[in-house]
Amino acid sequence: MEQTSLISINRSTFSPEAHAIDHGAIIYSHMGSASVRINFDTWELNGESVLCFFPGDIIKWETMSDDFTADAILYSSDTLRSASLNVEHAVYNTLRADRRCGYPALIKEVVSSMFRIFRFYFTVEHYTLTDRIVALQLQAFFLGFYDYLLANPRDNQGDKGTQRTNELFNRFMELLEEEFHEGHEVNYYAERMNISRKYLGIIVSGKTGFPPKHIIDEYIVLRLKLAMRTSKRSLKQIAADFHFPDQSALTRYFRTHVGMSPQQYRLK
């Protein structure tokens, strides 16, 4: 994708298919309602509200009302790195855990102004530094949202498990997002986390209702689909990228989980 882009989201763009994203986004809804699953948590958008996506997320729009409208600023991983250059790692982790900004004053005074700025720079052709302007705006937003969350911590009544098990599950998901190319099996992640395969199974099943192998395979398949849709690399190259022994092993894996070959999927 381009470094940054501004799009509209409404019922006509609705697709219920889960997919992995290689970019980040800030969704700014104006009216109507929608629910979207990000990884294994479901978030609601009602009226004026804001939701953050990050590169590597698994996104599934579950419901969307006919009158739902939203703007979205999409930004590449490079733009996120630029926006986060002077932002502490704790900011990023906090925002990933609490992605919905429901603070009316922040939305009214900051987010609405930020999107007006985005619309101006994306519609006036002679501006050439739009990507840098977006990165600076994102940095200001992330810092302001983080500062608000620190002052107004939310009690997540729906959270499952102890603080320790939640930390371990988050670590599992971080590793999966970072090392899915190499790690296809549960043992890989258990060893990386210095815990037993059985304990990892208890943690992941308690949080998601699915065993870790199911989560690993689902994520790898979604990333494979993303690579096949957005990359011109050959299947042999993709097999090597994802640490499959050869193209035949990739084809067998993909057919098992998707019900068609990679070649058939690319022709859809």
Side-chain angles (χ1 to χ4, degrees), residues 29-56:
S29 66
H30 309 299
M31 61 184 296
S33 62
S35 63
V36 56
R37 191 184 78 177
I38 307 175
N39 300 328
F40 300 98
D41 293 312
T42 299
W43 302 84
E44 305 292 334
L45 287 165
N46 295 290
E48 277 203 309
S49 51
V50 174
L51 190 65
C52 299
F53 295 169
F54 293 98

Short mmCIF file of all heavy atoms in Angstrom, two decimals, residues 29-56:
data_model
loop_
_atom_site.label_atom_id
_atom_site.label_comp_id
_atom_site.label_asym_id
_atom_site.label_seq_id
_atom_site.Cartn_x
_atom_site.Cartn_y
_atom_site.Cartn_z
N SER A 29 -15.62 6.92 13.40
CA SER A 29 -17.01 6.74 12.98
C SER A 29 -17.83 7.98 13.32
O SER A 29 -17.55 8.70 14.28
CB SER A 29 -17.62 5.51 13.65
OG SER A 29 -17.73 5.68 15.04
N HIS A 30 -18.87 8.22 12.50
CA HIS A 30 -19.70 9.43 12.65
C HIS A 30 -21.13 9.10 13.07
O HIS A 30 -21.72 9.82 13.87
CB HIS A 30 -19.74 10.20 11.33
CG HIS A 30 -18.37 10.45 10.76
ND1 HIS A 30 -17.41 11.18 11.42
CD2 HIS A 30 -17.80 10.05 9.59
CE1 HIS A 30 -16.31 11.23 10.69
NE2 HIS A 30 -16.51 10.55 9.59
N MET A 31 -21.68 8.03 12.53
CA MET A 31 -23.05 7.67 12.86
C MET A 31 -23.26 6.18 12.63
O MET A 31 -22.42 5.51 12.03
CB MET A 31 -24.04 8.48 12.01
CG MET A 31 -23.93 8.26 10.51
SD MET A 31 -25.04 9.32 9.55
CE MET A 31 -26.63 8.70 10.11
N GLY A 32 -24.37 5.66 13.14
CA GLY A 32 -24.64 4.24 13.02
C GLY A 32 -23.82 3.43 14.01
O GLY A 32 -23.22 3.97 14.94
N SER A 33 -23.82 2.11 13.81
CA SER A 33 -23.09 1.24 14.73
C SER A 33 -22.44 0.10 13.96
O SER A 33 -22.90 -0.30 12.88
CB SER A 33 -24.04 0.68 15.79
OG SER A 33 -25.06 -0.10 15.18
N ALA A 34 -21.37 -0.43 14.53
CA ALA A 34 -20.67 -1.57 13.93
C ALA A 34 -19.90 -2.28 15.04
O ALA A 34 -19.56 -1.68 16.06
CB ALA A 34 -19.72 -1.12 12.83
N SER A 35 -19.66 -3.56 14.84
CA SER A 35 -18.79 -4.31 15.75
C SER A 35 -17.71 -4.98 14.91
O SER A 35 -17.98 -5.47 13.81
CB SER A 35 -19.58 -5.34 16.55
OG SER A 35 -20.16 -6.31 15.70
N VAL A 36 -16.50 -4.97 15.44
CA VAL A 36 -15.37 -5.53 14.71
C VAL A 36 -14.53 -6.34 15.67
O VAL A 36 -14.27 -5.92 16.79
CB VAL A 36 -14.54 -4.41 14.03
CG1 VAL A 36 -14.07 -3.38 15.03
CG2 VAL A 36 -13.35 -5.00 13.27
N ARG A 37 -14.17 -7.55 15.24
CA ARG A 37 -13.28 -8.38 16.04
C ARG A 37 -11.85 -8.09 15.62
O ARG A 37 -11.52 -8.15 14.44
CB ARG A 37 -13.57 -9.87 15.84
CG ARG A 37 -12.86 -10.76 16.86
CD ARG A 37 -13.08 -12.22 16.58
NE ARG A 37 -12.21 -12.67 15.48
CZ ARG A 37 -12.13 -13.92 15.03
NH1 ARG A 37 -12.88 -14.85 15.57
NH2 ARG A 37 -11.33 -14.24 14.04
N ILE A 38 -11.00 -7.76 16.60
CA ILE A 38 -9.58 -7.56 16.37
C ILE A 38 -8.87 -8.65 17.15
O ILE A 38 -8.93 -8.67 18.39
CB ILE A 38 -9.10 -6.16 16.81
CG1 ILE A 38 -9.96 -5.07 16.17
CG2 ILE A 38 -7.64 -5.97 16.46
CD1 ILE A 38 -9.62 -3.67 16.66
N ASN A 39 -8.21 -9.55 16.44
CA ASN A 39 -7.60 -10.72 17.05
C ASN A 39 -8.68 -11.50 17.81
O ASN A 39 -9.51 -12.12 17.19
CB ASN A 39 -6.41 -10.31 17.92
CG ASN A 39 -5.33 -9.59 17.10
OD1 ASN A 39 -5.15 -9.88 15.93
ND2 ASN A 39 -4.64 -8.66 17.71
N PHE A 40 -8.75 -11.41 19.14
CA PHE A 40 -9.74 -12.22 19.86
C PHE A 40 -10.62 -11.38 20.78
O PHE A 40 -11.24 -11.90 21.70
CB PHE A 40 -9.04 -13.35 20.62
CG PHE A 40 -8.29 -14.24 19.69
CD1 PHE A 40 -6.93 -14.08 19.49
CD2 PHE A 40 -8.95 -15.21 18.94
CE1 PHE A 40 -6.23 -14.87 18.59
CE2 PHE A 40 -8.27 -16.00 18.05
CZ PHE A 40 -6.91 -15.84 17.86
N ASP A 41 -10.67 -10.09 20.53
CA ASP A 41 -11.56 -9.20 21.27
C ASP A 41 -12.49 -8.50 20.30
O ASP A 41 -12.09 -8.15 19.18
CB ASP A 41 -10.75 -8.15 22.05
CG ASP A 41 -9.93 -8.76 23.18
OD1 ASP A 41 -10.50 -9.57 23.94
OD2 ASP A 41 -8.73 -8.45 23.29
N THR A 42 -13.73 -8.28 20.71
CA THR A 42 -14.71 -7.58 19.88
C THR A 42 -14.91 -6.17 20.42
O THR A 42 -15.06 -5.96 21.63
CB THR A 42 -16.06 -8.33 19.86
OG1 THR A 42 -15.85 -9.64 19.30
CG2 THR A 42 -17.07 -7.59 19.00
N TRP A 43 -14.90 -5.20 19.51
CA TRP A 43 -15.02 -3.79 19.86
C TRP A 43 -16.23 -3.20 19.15
O TRP A 43 -16.55 -3.56 18.02
CB TRP A 43 -13.76 -3.03 19.45
CG TRP A 43 -12.52 -3.57 20.08
CD1 TRP A 43 -11.75 -4.61 19.65
CD2 TRP A 43 -11.91 -3.11 21.29
NE1 TRP A 43 -10.71 -4.82 20.51
CE2 TRP A 43 -10.77 -3.92 21.52
CE3 TRP A 43 -12.21 -2.08 22.19
CZ2 TRP A 43 -9.94 -3.73 22.63
CZ3 TRP A 43 -11.38 -1.89 23.29
CH2 TRP A 43 -10.26 -2.71 23.50
N GLU A 44 -16.91 -2.29 19.84
CA GLU A 44 -18.11 -1.66 19.30
C GLU A 44 -17.82 -0.22 18.90
O GLU A 44 -17.11 0.51 19.60
CB GLU A 44 -19.23 -1.67 20.35
CG GLU A 44 -19.57 -3.04 20.91
CD GLU A 44 -20.21 -3.97 19.90
OE1 GLU A 44 -20.84 -3.45 18.94
OE2 GLU A 44 -20.08 -5.20 20.06
N LEU A 45 -18.39 0.19 17.77
CA LEU A 45 -18.35 1.58 17.33
C LEU A 45 -19.79 2.08 17.28
O LEU A 45 -20.62 1.51 16.57
CB LEU A 45 -17.70 1.69 15.95
CG LEU A 45 -16.18 1.48 15.89
CD1 LEU A 45 -15.73 1.25 14.46
CD2 LEU A 45 -15.45 2.67 16.50
N ASN A 46 -20.08 3.12 18.04
CA ASN A 46 -21.43 3.69 18.08
C ASN A 46 -21.34 5.20 17.97
O ASN A 46 -20.69 5.85 18.80
CB ASN A 46 -22.14 3.31 19.38
CG ASN A 46 -22.37 1.82 19.50
OD1 ASN A 46 -23.19 1.26 18.77
ND2 ASN A 46 -21.65 1.17 20.40
N GLY A 47 -21.99 5.75 16.95
CA GLY A 47 -21.95 7.20 16.78
C GLY A 47 -20.52 7.67 16.58
O GLY A 47 -19.74 7.05 15.87
N GLU A 48 -20.18 8.77 17.28
CA GLU A 48 -18.82 9.29 17.16
C GLU A 48 -17.89 8.52 18.10
O GLU A 48 -17.99 8.64 19.32
CB GLU A 48 -18.78 10.79 17.50
CG GLU A 48 -19.15 11.68 16.34
CD GLU A 48 -18.56 13.08 16.52
OE1 GLU A 48 -18.78 13.64 17.61
OE2 GLU A 48 -17.92 13.58 15.59
N SER A 49 -17.01 7.72 17.53
CA SER A 49 -16.03 6.99 18.33
C SER A 49 -14.82 6.67 17.47
O SER A 49 -14.85 6.84 16.24
CB SER A 49 -16.64 5.72 18.93
OG SER A 49 -17.29 4.94 17.94
N VAL A 50 -13.76 6.22 18.13
CA VAL A 50 -12.48 6.02 17.46
C VAL A 50 -11.91 4.67 17.85
O VAL A 50 -11.96 4.28 19.02
CB VAL A 50 -11.49 7.14 17.83
CG1 VAL A 50 -10.10 6.86 17.25
CG2 VAL A 50 -12.00 8.49 17.36
N LEU A 51 -11.36 3.96 16.86
CA LEU A 51 -10.77 2.64 17.10
C LEU A 51 -9.46 2.54 16.34
O LEU A 51 -9.36 3.00 15.20
CB LEU A 51 -11.74 1.55 16.65
CG LEU A 51 -11.41 0.11 17.03
CD1 LEU A 51 -11.46 -0.08 18.54
CD2 LEU A 51 -12.39 -0.85 16.35
N CYS A 52 -8.45 1.95 16.98
CA CYS A 52 -7.12 1.82 16.37
C CYS A 52 -6.86 0.39 15.90
O CYS A 52 -7.12 -0.56 16.63
CB CYS A 52 -6.02 2.21 17.36
SG CYS A 52 -6.10 3.91 17.95
N PHE A 53 -6.35 0.25 14.69
CA PHE A 53 -5.83 -1.02 14.18
C PHE A 53 -4.31 -0.89 14.09
O PHE A 53 -3.79 0.21 13.85
CB PHE A 53 -6.34 -1.32 12.77
CG PHE A 53 -7.82 -1.56 12.65
CD1 PHE A 53 -8.42 -1.61 11.40
CD2 PHE A 53 -8.63 -1.72 13.76
CE1 PHE A 53 -9.78 -1.83 11.25
CE2 PHE A 53 -10.00 -1.92 13.63
CZ PHE A 53 -10.57 -1.98 12.38
N PHE A 54 -3.60 -2.04 14.23
CA PHE A 54 -2.15 -2.03 14.11
C PHE A 54 -1.70 -3.11 13.13
O PHE A 54 -2.40 -4.11 12.94
CB PHE A 54 -1.50 -2.25 15.48
CG PHE A 54 -1.72 -1.12 16.44
CD1 PHE A 54 -2.72 -1.17 17.40
CD2 PHE A 54 -0.93 0.02 16.37
CE1 PHE A 54 -2.93 -0.13 18.28
CE2 PHE A 54 -1.13 1.08 17.26
CZ PHE A 54 -2.13 1.01 18.20
N PRO A 55 -0.55 -2.91 12.49
CA PRO A 55 -0.05 -3.93 11.54
C PRO A 55 0.04 -5.30 12.20
O PRO A 55 0.50 -5.44 13.33
CB PRO A 55 1.34 -3.40 11.17
CG PRO A 55 1.27 -1.93 11.39
CD PRO A 55 0.37 -1.75 12.58
N GLY A 56 -0.42 -6.32 11.47
CA GLY A 56 -0.42 -7.68 11.99
C GLY A 56 -1.73 -8.09 12.63
O GLY A 56 -1.92 -9.28 12.94
#
